[in-house]
Amino acid sequence: MSQESVPEHIGQEPPVPAQSGAPGGLLQQMEELMAALNADLSQLDADLQSSAERTPENGSPSPFPFPG
């Protein structure tokens, strides 16, 4: 890997927007990111469950998108 592709801020914390002096701003940001990740994973699980319900009984999806 060339040095041009390495960011200069390695080893430093990424810039965090000012939280008006509130302690735990990073913790709050992490909690918000985790909540968003959990919501995304829940949606993905729901999508996978609904697609599994549409799978034929033999367990393999039909090669054609529409019933023939």
Side-chain angles (χ1 to χ4, degrees), residues 2-24:
S2 68
Q3 289 189 357
E4 292 88 24
S5 64
V6 178
E8 294 180 16
H9 63 276
I10 289 185
Q12 301 174 358
E13 293 185 23
V16 177
Q19 299 282 333
S20 68

Side-chain angles (χ1 to χ4, degrees), residues 11-61:
Q12 301 174 358
E13 293 185 23
V16 177
Q19 299 282 333
S20 68
L26 183 59
L27 178 60
Q28 180 180 356
Q29 186 178 14
M30 289 297 294
E31 288 175 347
E32 291 171 359
L33 289 170
M34 288 299 295
L37 177 62
N38 284 333
D40 289 346
L41 289 175
S42 295
Q43 183 62 48
L44 177 61
D45 183 48
D47 292 346
L48 290 173
Q49 294 293 329
S50 67
S51 69
E53 293 171 0
R54 294 190 304 259
T55 303
E57 289 182 18
N58 65 4
S60 61

